[in-house]
């Protein structure tokens, strides 16, 4: 069975500090990994997918198959980054997404 | 372009009552999903559909039924609501990896 683990429920940092939101996964095949973000009172939206290897809003994430991790990083946090972040996994057919429990990021001034 | 629309946005039910949540998408997506979001639990898949007339169970299907009679609509039914079904329900549709989520339905069962 596939599983996504986000070990931190809450991550609190000051503006300008580096941020790393951890995500580990368990999957027997070749997974597709994603990060979704939910800002306060808004719907979930896709932030990153591993295969595109792009940087969105200064965030990057690298898939490490050896450590089965897909951590989300940003060198300098901004207050507007405060949100709930979900790591998610899909099989290669994209039929369903399995989400982690989420990490709330709070960026203080 | 509305994307994914969920109705209603809020609802309070008494234990044992039934209701239907409606999800509509205007993007001609084949895949549609119902998730529930609970504090500390993340999003869990209830049911999903890979096309008109098809449905499949997700991780937490008990107590819910779904129907996909039209490609653009995906209905989630609660036959006899229980307090454990108090949650925020999200519908999504997708083509490939691109999930589009609705704004959610906040359901309280008292």
């Amino acid at each position: 069975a596939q599983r996504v683990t986000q070990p931190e429920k809450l991550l609190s940092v000051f503006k300008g500090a580096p941020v790393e939101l951890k995500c580990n996964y368990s999957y027997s095949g070749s997974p597709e990994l994603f990060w979704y973000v939910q800002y306060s009172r808004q719907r979930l939206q896709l932030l990153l997918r591993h295969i595109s290897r792009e940087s969105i809003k200064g965030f990057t994430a690298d898939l490490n198959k050896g450590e089965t991790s897909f951590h989300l990083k940003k060198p300098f946090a901004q207050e507007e980054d405060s949100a709930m972040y979900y790591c998610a996994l899909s099989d290669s057919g994209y039929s369903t997404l399995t989400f982690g429990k989420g990490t709330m990021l709070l960026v203080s001034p | 372009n509305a994307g994914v629309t969920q109705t209603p946005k809020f609802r309070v039910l008494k234990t044992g009552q039934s209701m239907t949540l409606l999800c509509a998408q205007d993007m001609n997506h084949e895949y549609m999903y119902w998730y529930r979001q609970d504090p500390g639990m993340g999003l869990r898949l209830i049911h999903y559909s890979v096309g008109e007339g098809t449905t499949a169970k997700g991780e937490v299907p008990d107590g819910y039924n779904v129907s996909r009679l039209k490609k653009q609509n995906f209905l989630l039914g609660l036959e006899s609501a229980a307090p454990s079904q108090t949650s925020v329900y999200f519908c999504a549709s997708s083509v490939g990896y691109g999930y589009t989520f609705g704004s959610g339905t906040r359901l309280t069962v008292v």
Side-chain angles (χ1 to χ4, degrees), chain A residues 6 9 32 34 36 38 41-46 49 51-52 54 84 86 89-90 93-102, chain B residues 2-5 9 31 33 35 37-38 40-45 48 50 59 90 94 96-104:
Chain A
Q6 294 179 250
K9 289 185 179 180
E32 298 284 344
F34 306 86
Y36 279 80
Q38 186 179 28
R41 300 186 182 279
Q42 295 188 25
R43 63 189 70 194
L44 277 86
Q45 54 187 284
L46 177 65
R49 59 186 294 234
I51 200 167
S52 61
E54 57 192 341
M84 179 69 83
Y86 291 98
L89 177 154
S90 175
Y94 305 116
S95 59
T96 62
L97 275 178
T98 298
F99 286 87
K101 294 183 178 181
Chain B
V4 177
T5 303
K9 294 189 184 305
Y31 288 17
Y33 312 84
Y35 287 87
Q37 183 185 43
D38 301 291
M41 300 297 291
L43 280 85
R44 292 178 292 170
L45 183 64
Y48 66 102
V50 300
E59 180 185 356
F90 284 99
S94 76
Y97 70 89
Y99 274 53
T100 300
F101 281 86
S103 58

Side-chain angles (χ1 to χ4, degrees), chain A residues 6 11-12 21 44 56 58 62 69 72 75-76 81 88 109:
Chain A
Q6 294 179 250
L11 185 61
S12 185
L21 287 82
L44 277 86
I56 303 294
D62 289 318
S69 68
L72 184 68
F76 307 104
D81 295 329

